[in-house]
Amino acid sequence: MLVRPFVHAQWQETATLRRFIQRPGCTRNLTSGANGSVEKRPSAKATSDELITTLPFLQRPLGVKERPSPVLKTWADTREELMNQETRLAQREHLVKEATKGYFTDLNATRRHGGKTWIAPNVMIREDKALYFPNIVGSSLDTKSKKHTASMCEGHISVISMLSTRMSEIHVNGFTLPTNERYLSNPLYQYVQINLQENLLKSFLVSLFLSSIAKSVPPELHSTYLVSSQNMEFVREHLGIVNKHVGYVYLVDDNLKVRWAGCADAKVEETNALEQCTGVLLSRLDKKRSAKASR
């Protein structure tokens, strides 16, 4: 009985996104091609201001300062965090900022550049400047058991995709398909997909249809596909996740640091940059392991 409402909700969400993006004033329209891919077409009614506006490159390293751990926080750790005045002020500032946002803010933002807020860099973030990807807990498609990204990604070069809507799946595929085709057979590489549903109702509905999701995901990726309902309220901004409707992609090294990131519609140069940066990290990790083995 829940199938029809869930499918209708997914269809309605995608249709609403397309309608907002295709309104006058948007610099590009999204239309599905014959193979389900997204084609970009300039809007004839775009305003001169938006045509002139260009997106900036990513201005800062993304991630958190503390190294993530799969060990859950104890009450003593939580109490210490609550007593930290700097942490409390940062959380209060974030909550005030979120409280002033309208319900349709994210949806309206997709009318400009399709929700894209930055252009991914052509080179990696320096290791000494890079920050850590936070630990996210989710259930994998293969065993339905809980897994931690902190333990999954350590010692590997990982491309992590954050999914929340059907539109976000299209976005991340634009970034990751060439990289996966080239490196998925490499034992040092892994592609991690995180289906993040912070809304309790949506999370419950997604959990009911894990078997349907499993059919749409290649079997070799089931072990690294996580369904999570983790609250990301205070780390979302650190990861640059400013719009819940678009997809985000992160390149994480073997030390759990974010070395590259992209969002929304992938440009050709961004897709190429991800493939090249992944290759560089894999080569470095292979040399590092070979050096240790020879000792």
Side-chain angles (χ1 to χ4, degrees):
M1 296 294 293
L2 289 172
V3 176
R4 184 172 296 177
F6 177 71
V7 173
H8 177 71
Q10 291 284 68
W11 173 86
Q12 190 175 34
E13 182 178 29
T14 303
T16 304
L17 276 172
R18 291 183 182 278
R19 188 163 58 251
F20 267 82
I21 294 172
Q22 291 174 351
R23 282 186 176 182
C26 185
T27 58
R28 67 181 74 176
N29 289 337
L30 296 181
T31 56
S32 296
N35 58 354
S37 61
V38 177
E39 299 173 356
K40 302 170 187 176
R41 296 180 180 176
S43 173
K45 298 181 180 180
T47 63
S48 58
D49 291 340
E50 289 182 335
L51 286 174
I52 295 173
T53 302
T54 57
L55 286 170
F57 282 94
L58 181 62
Q59 300 293 314
R60 61 181 175 89
L62 299 180
V64 295
K65 294 180 179 180
E66 293 184 5
R67 183 182 178 87
S69 171
V71 180
L72 297 177
K73 288 184 178 180
T74 63
W75 166 243
D77 295 331
T78 305
R79 182 180 57 191
E80 184 179 351
E81 185 176 307
L82 291 174
M83 295 298 292
N84 187 302
Q85 184 177 3
E86 186 178 337
T87 302
R88 293 205 317 270
L89 288 175
Q91 292 181 350
R92 184 184 304 172
E93 183 180 349
H94 170 77
L95 290 175
V96 170
K97 182 179 178 181
E98 288 296 310
T100 57
K101 289 176 61 176
Y103 184 79
F104 294 104
T105 299
D106 288 349
L107 197 58
N108 287 325
T110 60
R111 297 171 58 186
R112 181 181 288 269
H113 302 294
K116 195 176 186 71
T117 51
W118 79 78
I119 297 176
N122 294 323
V123 296
M124 288 186 294
I125 300 168
R126 284 171 43 184
E127 186 175 6
D128 59 332
K129 299 293 184 182
L131 301 175
Y132 293 101
F133 189 85
N135 182 50
I136 299 178
V137 185
S139 302
S140 63
L141 283 184
D142 57 348
T143 62
K144 309 297 187 295
S145 60
K146 295 291 184 182
K147 288 187 176 182
H148 298 255
T149 56
S151 54
M152 287 175 61
C153 298
E154 188 171 17
H156 291 82
I157 304 303
S158 308
V159 170
I160 302 178
S161 294
M162 302 294 291
L163 314 170
S164 57
T165 62
R166 174 57 183 159
M167 189 67 70
S168 65
E169 293 179 17
I170 297 173
H171 289 158
V172 301
N173 284 339
F175 282 101
T176 61
L177 283 178
T179 302
N180 287 337
E181 288 176 1
R182 183 173 178 180
Y183 299 116
L184 205 54
S185 58
N186 190 320
L188 300 179
Y189 172 82
Q190 64 178 354
Y191 178 46
V192 180
Q193 299 175 83
I194 302 176
N195 191 326
L196 183 64
Q197 303 295 342
E198 296 179 78
N199 182 284
L200 291 179
L201 178 58
K202 288 189 69 176
S203 176
F204 172 70
L205 291 173
V206 168
S207 66
L208 292 179
F209 296 96
L210 286 180
S211 57
S212 300
I213 295 175
K215 292 178 182 178
S216 63
V217 178
E220 63 270 18
L221 297 179
H222 284 189
S223 61
T224 56
Y225 189 106
L226 305 183
V227 177
S228 175
S229 58
Q230 181 171 321
N231 184 2
M232 301 286 289
E233 186 64 45
F234 297 114
V235 298
R236 192 184 300 120
E237 192 169 338
H238 294 296
L239 288 174
I241 302 177
V242 296
N243 193 318
K244 63 185 178 182
H245 295 295
V246 305
Y248 294 84
V249 177
Y250 305 90
L251 175 60
V252 179
D253 65 14
D254 56 309
N255 198 33
L256 305 179
K257 288 190 172 183
V258 179
R259 306 297 297 277
W260 186 94
C263 69
D265 287 324
K267 297 179 178 291
V268 176
E269 55 270 24
E270 291 178 309
T271 303
N272 293 337
L274 175 59
E275 185 178 354
Q276 293 170 5
C277 292
T278 303
V280 171
L281 288 180
L282 286 170
S283 177
R284 290 178 183 176
L285 181 58
D286 185 49
K287 290 178 181 178
K288 188 191 302 184
R289 291 195 174 188
S290 298
K292 287 184 178 180
S294 62
R295 291 177 183 175

